[in-house]
Amino acid sequence: MGSMLSGAEAVSLVRALPGVDAVGLEARAAGLGTRSIKKESKAQAIDLAIAMIDLTTLEGADTPGKVRSLCAKALRPEGDAPPVAAVCVYPAMAATAAEAVAGSDVKVASVATGFPAGQVPLDVRLADTEAAVVAGADEIDMVINRGAFLAGDLERVFEEIKAVKAACGEARLKVILETGELASYDNVRRASHLAMHAGADFIKTSTGKVGVNATLPVTLLMMQAVRDFRAATGTQVGVKPAGGIRTTKDAIKYLVCVNEVLGDDWLSPHWFRFGASSLLNDLLMQRRKLTTGHYSGSDYVTVD
Amino acid sequence: MFEYAPAPESVRPRIRDHYGLFIDGKFVDAADGSTFKSVNPADESTLFTVAEAGEADVAAAVEAARRAHESVWGSMSGAERGKYLFRIARLLQERAREFAVAESIDNGKPIKETRDFDVPTAAQHFFYHAGWADKLAYAVPGGPEPRPLGVVGQIIPWNFPLLMLSWKVAPALACGNTVVLKPAETTPLTALMFAELCREADLPPGVVNILPGAGATGEALVHSPVDKIAFTGSTAVGRSIAKAVAGSSKRLTLELGGKAANIVYDDAPIDQAVEGIVNGIFFNQGHVCCAGSRLLVQESIAEDVLARLKERVATLRLGDPLDKNTDIGAVNSAAQLKRIADLTATGEAEGAEVWQPECALPERGFWFRPTVFTGVQQSMRIAREEIFGPVLSVLTFRTPDEAIAKANNTPYGLSAGIWTEQGSKILWTAERLRAGVVWANTFNQFDAASPFGGVKESGYGREGGRQGLEAYLDV
Amino acid sequence: MSEQSKPEQGRSKQGAGKRGAAKRTATERNTTELARLHVKKTYKLYVGGKFPRSESGRSYAVTGPDGAELANAALASRKDARDAVTAARKAHRAWAAQTAYLRGQILYRAAEMLEGRAGQFTEELSAATGKEPHETLGTVEAAIDRLVHYAGWTDKFASVLGGANPVAGPFFNHTKPEPLGVVAVFAPQDDPLLGLVEAIAPAIATGNAVVVVASEAKPLAALSFAEVLATSDLPGGVVNLLSGKVAEIAPHLAGHEDVNGIDLGGVEDAALAAELEATAAGTLKVVRRPGTAGSSLDALRRWVEYKTVWHPAGMAAGVGGGY
């Protein structure tokens, strides 16, 4: 729901947030990254990670066929592996995806708001959002206006998110901060809180379309932000690292972070997602390794 | 919901049933045949027996060191000495995991720390000082090429056994001294493995001598005809050593106890500050002379900081030191456990409020839960005495001046921490803190290139960096 | 003396001449009309910027090498030593916090003041040692030059002794020498001025405050040197000078918990020096043993300890800021 703050109030709160020391933050993330997750906890982590995936295809070359193939994989990744959380597609593919996953628990997430740059007029972004919702999207992944953010116009960023939230109706709103373009951890923390005050249901790191996407320190910082936001407002917000998470080892590091920074309350697909495409196959291969005792190869998991 | 399965380290070093003293390049038993046992603090099992050096052994070791200094080491070119040290550094790196596991077993500290900190940093100290050996003329400005002192007696504590050995041995050898080193009685293992490594490196006999033993061995070493004593340990023992060498020509450097203030201002980077507080007091079970054992938090944010701190401390994993996910290992000895428990009891008796997370303690071994005392006043024993355990005393302050006054209000002066996002406040605070090492927006950082040591009753002399060489040169 | 009751700043800005004039009262002038009676100086202690007599009321006769009485000097007690430590502690913080440039200027000012009174010190040294004035003038000049030398060190020794350390991590790491605090100095017995200056100057150049016990048998030049310091803009309490018996005062200074360093250079009795070192161990004071000498940089290093400050150096590499 977010808080009922005016833009000016939200901006002044956000500007008063404590700073972030980059070295300390990265050291903490690295420390969490050294956890050694073995055997049954690894099996548990792999299935949890699969269930948290927003299985994504965001290509100019996406076709209904490609999206249907992705949805099939989302519903039944392999054997007794759980289905993923959602499929994530462009608005133009939302209807196809909605049809393909209909009747299942797999959600349809659609990027919107002129993804990935967001450099289109606000009314176009809002129309983009409404179209995706009408097409059957359960979740909207919007991008924030980084230009306005970096220019210091935080109030505008806030108002735009609020407007998109209104356009979402019942759909859950994931706000992509595009942390790789925000230049500092302080900005990531400010953007996280700004988005949450404006009504974000999730805060998400990246579009996957810029040089630096999700990193463990950035995601850790956003986890601290949602933790602090709930403590301050009572509202729980989800976190979605996206882009660049390709291996089981990486995914487990993120789960360790969720476990130790946020705890049980966030350890579910409702509150934590991975925006990823190739990650799923690596998780499936590791899953096979745990079951069979042999290392697997790419020919033993499906290409979708 | 997400429990971590045990993740024990699989490497097992070869630990012998019995170790001798290492004198003149050979392992020998004590002249009087004395031995003692080393115990695994995590399960109280006996690990091995080891010879206990007496006066005669100390004399033999000092003679061997003297011979080695006069016949080979003192006259060897710096470049050649350096090559021996480089070789030792490399061997330590090659056998790093073995040393890390051995250290965890003998000391009780988590493998995570021995693997990622103790052993690599020990190797770094040898590598760093190796490079100094042929550059000593540059180490002490303004004079002629400085000369070594001769034979150095070194006494080290049990909290970082191999690392403290490296802090002592590496600069001493680089400067052309030979050494007789006494490891702590509860943690002789890695020093003895290091002796084996010296042989592997073909270090000339007598250059390094290792004499396991307890207080009496140390005392004998202090009174032996060495040219210098370097000691790391408690202030009480440091004081008695300073008394013992008074009036002699023996040089002395001391790295003693501490009661560091970790100052958190209201404009601190809060999450990193909480990490720094946790690292400051729970690193190595709090068995750290420079531990941030007094948290001084600005009153306006104290409640918030404490809430975050408790939440964080509750995630610390206490248990098997060899489990890669263990954050808090075993307390090193029964005696130390008792000291921690006794001082903690005084905190409660004196009216401070104690908090500990819920965590199960293993049945055997020496364990102490991470402990946070709030409502602590300067006058309480837990705010003044070094506990050397995972026990944090939280005090508050209102103004920067008050923070400085409270921070400096101790006979110790080893280290301090500062947390604020304001650069000028950091420098202002650092300037005023009476401490040898100040960490701003970080804590418990160590490096071979960075001098470490205290002021006031935390001792004198530095270890590490160019300044650390002064302790082993005739300057 | 009237200046004892005056506030510190007022006194230290006063010229030596004015102080001398203040001593001559009208009554005195009237009674010395015929053969003018020489006005003898009362040699007092120098504590906290003031010139008190010993709180004990005691004094002792100081004689020249021929046994002739030169003057009475205050015989400092343990309480005087205690007061001197209190004054030194009080002065130390502000002195250490002064800019190094200003400390240098003040030391240079002391050299200027000593130069201006070279004749007086030459006479005092000759009287104390029996040496010829041309010889003692050389000593005074050497003392002046040492002050000038250390005046030039104040803003350089930290650069020479300290520096940045290239640690293996994302940190700025910097080491600089800092004063120990309060240093008790036993000045050399046979070198009452130059030895004194050589002991005091490096200690205060580095920001320490000192309590100095002057040469027991030849304290007069030292006590006069206090007047030089008092007129050199040196804040009161940075240097405190006591005259008296080393064996009586020393144990109290060696044992004083608020003393951080102790210079035994002027303790000639080896057994006493050992005993003092053992006492000093009680609070782990830094000790300079008798008979150790070195370069001026060694002397500067003697009363400092290194402080190392760490700070992270990092931007958010992972969010694009690190490129």
Side-chain angles (χ1 to χ4, degrees):
Chain A
M1 289 309 292
S3 47
M4 293 296 123
L5 297 177
S6 73
E9 286 168 336
V11 169
S12 72
L13 273 180
V14 157
R15 290 204 188 280
L17 287 166
V20 182
D21 184 82
V23 172
L25 173 69
E26 287 169 11
R28 169 72 170 135
L32 287 163
T34 66
R35 290 291 192 219
S36 177
I37 305 302
K38 301 285 182 204
K39 301 193 178 80
E40 57 274 19
S41 44
K42 186 172 184 181
Q44 187 194 0
I46 286 173
D47 280 6
L48 186 56
I50 292 171
M52 286 173 162
I53 287 179
D54 280 4
L55 194 61
T56 301
T57 183
L58 293 169
E59 303 297 333
D62 283 346
T63 60
K66 160 82 181 174
V67 170
R68 277 194 288 271
S69 158
L70 188 82
C71 291
K73 179 77 166 259
L75 290 166
R76 273 183 318 281
E78 181 195 85
D80 60 353
V84 303
V87 287
C88 182
V89 296
Y90 271 117
M93 295 294 148
T96 306
E99 195 183 318
V101 301
S104 76
D105 290 335
V106 175
K107 308 287 186 204
V108 174
S110 172
V111 297
T113 70
F115 183 94
Q119 296 281 24
V120 295
L122 180 60
D123 53 354
V124 178
R125 283 182 267 159
L126 294 175
D128 194 20
T129 305
E130 282 156 9
V133 172
V134 168
D138 304 297
E139 302 171 356
I140 295 295
D141 290 26
M142 72 167 283
V143 289
I144 65 162
N145 188 336
R146 284 90 77 193
F149 188 94
L150 292 171
D153 193 354
L154 271 57
E155 204 166 332
R156 180 164 163 204
V157 178
F158 176 86
E159 297 298 347
E160 288 181 359
I161 297 169
K162 239 172 117 173
V164 175
K165 171 71 178 172
C168 282
E170 293 297 304
R172 291 178 90 202
L173 175 63
K174 305 197 194 96
V175 178
I176 304 171
L177 308 180
E178 197 66 302
T179 55
E181 292 185 344
L182 291 186
S184 76
Y185 289 126
D186 291 312
N187 276 348
V188 171
R189 174 174 278 182
R190 291 187 192 114
S192 297
H193 281 265
L194 196 68
M196 292 188 285
H197 282 301
D201 298 297
F202 257 87
I203 50 175
K204 173 175 168 183
T205 60
S206 317
T207 60
K209 302 293 185 192
V210 297
V212 178
N213 296 295
T215 68
L216 198 58
V218 149
T219 311
L220 168 61
L221 176 58
M222 289 165 63
M223 289 181 197
Q224 291 167 338
V226 301
R227 175 201 65 195
D228 292 349
F229 190 78
R230 188 177 73 169
T233 67
T235 301
Q236 184 162 339
V237 173
V239 179
K240 178 179 172 185
I245 304 168
R246 295 189 181 86
T247 65
T248 302
K249 198 175 169 186
D250 282 346
I252 289 177
K253 288 180 184 180
Y254 284 87
L255 289 180
V256 164
C257 278
V258 179
N259 190 39
E260 299 199 27
V261 177
L262 297 174
D264 280 355
D265 289 356
W266 270 268
L267 266 177
S268 81
H270 196 69
W271 297 113
F272 193 81
R273 298 281 177 84
F274 291 106
S277 44
S278 60
L279 172 64
L280 179 57
N281 272 354
D282 192 70
L283 287 164
L284 293 173
M285 286 198 288
Q286 290 293 326
R287 203 172 182 275
R288 285 176 69 94
K289 157 77 172 65
L290 287 182
T291 322
T292 64
H294 304 294
Y295 290 110
S296 189
S298 55
D299 285 352
Y300 292 83
V301 290
T302 57
V303 177
D304 310 284
Chain B
M1 174 170 176
F2 186 18
E3 292 299 329
Y4 305 156
E9 169 60 50
S10 53
V11 170
R12 281 291 180 277
R14 180 166 166 241
I15 299 176
R16 299 172 200 278
D17 293 334
H18 177 75
Y19 287 90
L21 316 170
F22 186 64
I23 299 175
D24 210 11
K26 293 180 282 292
F27 283 98
V28 295
D29 274 324
D32 65 3
S34 292
T35 62
F36 64 102
K37 290 176 191 166
S38 192
V39 168
N40 180 341
D43 62 12
E44 300 173 57
S45 64
T46 297
L47 291 167
F48 53 88
T49 62
V50 58
E52 181 172 14
E55 270 179 47
D57 307 302
V58 169
V62 172
E63 274 167 38
R66 182 70 63 195
R67 273 196 308 278
H69 182 259
E70 284 168 3
S71 64
V72 41
W73 197 250
S75 51
M76 187 184 289
S77 77
E80 288 301 302
R81 280 202 314 272
K83 279 155 68 182
Y84 277 105
L85 292 182
F86 278 124
R87 193 185 265 189
I88 289 171
R90 275 289 189 256
L91 285 170
L92 265 179
Q93 287 172 329
E94 283 167 20
R95 295 175 57 185
R97 191 57 59 90
E98 224 181 296
F99 271 90
V101 176
E103 194 81 300
S104 283
I105 291 172
D106 202 26
N107 172 283
K109 62 169 65 191
I111 182 72
K112 183 175 88 170
E113 290 178 10
T114 55
R115 179 196 65 198
D116 298 344
F117 174 70
D118 294 60
V119 178
T121 315
Q124 188 209 11
H125 269 264
F126 278 98
F127 201 88
Y128 174 84
H129 286 98
W132 268 123
D134 60 350
K135 302 168 191 69
L136 297 174
Y138 302 93
V140 185
E145 170 128 14
R147 301 197 39 74
L149 296 169
V151 177
V152 178
Q154 305 181 316
I155 302 170
I156 58 170
W158 46 261
N159 58 343
F160 297 94
L162 182 70
L163 185 59
M164 291 299 104
L165 175 148
S166 74
W167 283 25
K168 294 275 181 291
V169 173
L173 298 193
C175 292
N177 305 283
T178 54
V179 306
V180 178
L181 176 131
K182 187 195 90 67
E185 78 183 290
T186 58
T187 55
L189 180 54
T190 47
L192 294 160
M193 289 170 64
F194 178 79
E196 291 171 337
L197 189 141
C198 288
R199 287 218 295 208
E200 200 179 331
D202 286 327
L203 193 70
V207 172
V208 168
N209 304 274
I210 309 275
L211 299 182
T217 309
E219 217 176 311
L221 184 54
V222 168
H223 287 96
S224 72
V226 293
D227 299 297
K228 182 217 163 83
I229 294 287
F231 171 74
T232 295
S234 75
T235 290
V237 174
R239 199 176 276 139
S240 70
I241 293 174
K243 275 196 166 70
V245 304
S248 75
S249 60
K250 284 174 201 165
R251 305 288 183 93
L252 179 63
T253 47
L254 299 170
E255 202 268 89
L256 308 175
K259 192 72 190 177
N262 200 359
I263 301 172
V264 181
Y265 286 115
D266 60 4
D267 54 2
I270 202 76
D271 289 305
Q272 287 73 52
V274 169
E275 284 310 307
I277 296 164
V278 169
N279 174 270
I281 188 62
F282 300 123
F283 176 58
N284 198 30
Q285 295 73 249
H287 300 330
V288 185
C289 46
C290 53
S293 53
R294 285 187 298 151
L295 172 62
L296 288 175
V297 58
Q298 198 149 10
E299 204 171 320
S300 54
I301 56 160
E303 206 180 313
D304 184 31
V305 168
L306 274 171
R308 289 166 186 268
L309 177 65
K310 287 176 180 175
E311 196 176 310
R312 174 69 177 93
V313 173
T315 68
L316 292 172
R317 305 171 63 85
L318 180 147
D320 180 7
L322 288 180
D323 189 305
K324 293 175 203 165
N325 294 326
T326 291
D327 299 315
I328 307 231
V331 168
N332 180 250
S333 65
Q336 186 57 26
L337 181 61
K338 181 174 183 316
R339 180 175 162 76
I340 296 168
D342 287 352
L343 265 166
T344 302
T346 71
E348 291 188 74
E350 289 183 341
E353 193 183 319
V354 68
W355 177 87
Q356 293 177 325
E358 292 194 10
C359 65
L361 299 184
E363 276 177 24
R364 295 184 62 78
F366 315 128
W367 307 91
F368 201 83
R369 285 187 183 85
T371 302
V372 177
F373 273 108
T374 53
V376 178
Q377 307 304 331
Q378 286 285 108
S379 55
M380 295 178 180
R381 283 184 68 192
I382 52 169
R384 303 199 65 78
E385 294 181 31
E386 185 176 40
I387 298 174
F388 223 64
V391 182
L392 178 68
S393 296
V394 183
L395 299 92
T396 61
F397 67 89
R398 294 163 299 171
T399 64
D401 279 326
E402 191 175 59
I404 299 289
K406 285 186 168 175
N408 287 339
N409 180 217
T410 164
Y412 293 114
L414 187 51
S415 65
I418 308 168
W419 298 85
T420 167
E421 285 272 283
Q422 229 181 63
S424 46
K425 204 192 305 186
I426 290 171
L427 297 177
W428 181 90
T429 307
E431 187 79 24
R432 279 157 185 76
L433 287 169
R434 296 284 293 131
V437 183
V438 176
W439 289 294
N441 291 329
T442 187
F443 210 93
N444 274 344
Q445 299 292 340
F446 307 90
D447 196 280
S450 177
F452 183 91
V455 295
K456 302 202 287 183
E457 294 206 6
S458 292
Y460 35 77
R462 291 293 176 263
E463 295 181 298
R466 179 168 63 73
Q467 292 81 2
L469 299 172
E470 291 170 12
Y472 290 100
L473 292 169
D474 187 11
V475 291
Chain C
M1 260 192 282
S2 59
E3 60 268 27
Q4 281 188 38
S5 57
K6 286 184 183 166
E8 229 169 64
Q9 300 96 319
R11 188 196 47 68
S12 66
K13 278 177 189 153
Q14 258 179 346
K18 195 177 172 192
R19 198 191 359 253
K23 271 165 87 177
R24 251 176 276 152
T25 64
T27 335
E28 266 182 285
R29 266 200 298 276
N30 292 338
T31 57
T32 59
E33 265 169 12
L34 291 171
R36 185 186 168 276
L37 181 66
H38 180 66
V39 178
K40 291 186 77 170
K41 179 156 112 185
T42 309
Y43 285 91
K44 299 196 205 173
L45 310 176
Y46 180 52
V47 175
K50 297 181 166 56
F51 290 87
R53 293 190 172 85
S54 170
E55 64 76 38
S56 65
R58 302 176 305 171
S59 64
Y60 67 112
V62 177
T63 55
D66 55 358
E69 194 167 313
L70 298 173
N72 288 317
L75 182 63
S77 67
R78 65 183 167 85
K79 286 187 181 170
D80 292 318
R82 175 202 64 190
D83 293 347
V85 171
T86 306
R89 174 60 63 196
K90 202 174 155 204
H92 162 249
R93 181 57 42 76
W95 178 240
Q98 287 291 9
T99 64
Y101 178 44
L102 187 78
R103 284 204 301 273
Q105 287 195 308
I106 289 173
L107 277 170
Y108 187 77
R109 178 77 179 154
E112 288 178 343
M113 292 296 105
L114 188 54
E115 180 87 41
R117 294 169 67 170
Q120 177 203 333
F121 279 92
T122 302
E123 278 176 35
E124 276 179 346
L125 285 182
S126 287
T129 61
K131 288 180 185 160
E132 293 297 319
H134 70 86
E135 212 179 322
T136 53
L137 175 62
T139 306
V140 174
E141 286 171 347
I144 294 165
D145 291 351
R146 292 315 278 166
L147 283 170
V148 171
H149 177 74
Y150 284 109
W153 260 127
T154 58
D155 51 5
K156 293 161 198 73
F157 75 92
S159 311
V160 174
L161 294 178
N165 306 307
V167 294
F171 295 95
F172 172 72
N173 178 294
H174 166 255
T175 295
K176 69 169 198 162
E178 289 202 343
L180 291 180
V182 174
V183 179
V185 176
F186 297 94
Q189 298 301 321
D190 289 329
D191 194 1
L193 180 67
L194 181 57
L196 176 91
V197 166
E198 194 59 71
I200 293 177
I204 64 173
T206 48
N208 293 284
V210 296
V211 173
V212 188
V213 179
S215 166
E216 187 171 321
K218 304 181 184 71
L220 302 186
L223 297 172
S224 292
F225 184 67
E227 295 159 14
V228 166
L229 295 175
T231 51
S232 304
D233 298 331
L234 186 76
V238 172
V239 173
N240 304 276
L241 260 157
L242 305 174
S243 51
K245 303 209 174 307
V246 170
E248 179 190 349
I249 308 171
H252 301 288
L253 287 171
H256 198 305
E257 292 187 339
D258 212 19
V259 171
N260 305 103
I262 184 161
D263 183 347
L264 300 176
V267 179
E268 292 184 335
D269 175 350
L272 176 62
E275 202 178 294
L276 293 173
E277 186 181 346
T279 306
T283 52
L284 294 154
K285 294 174 180 61
V286 173
V287 176
R288 178 197 178 196
R289 290 176 179 145
T292 46
S295 68
S296 64
L297 189 62
D298 292 335
L300 290 159
R301 191 167 41 215
R302 193 172 291 143
W303 308 118
V304 298
E305 192 49 279
Y306 297 105
K307 177 185 278 180
T308 299
V309 180
W310 294 68
H311 195 278
M315 260 306 292
V319 289
Y323 300 123

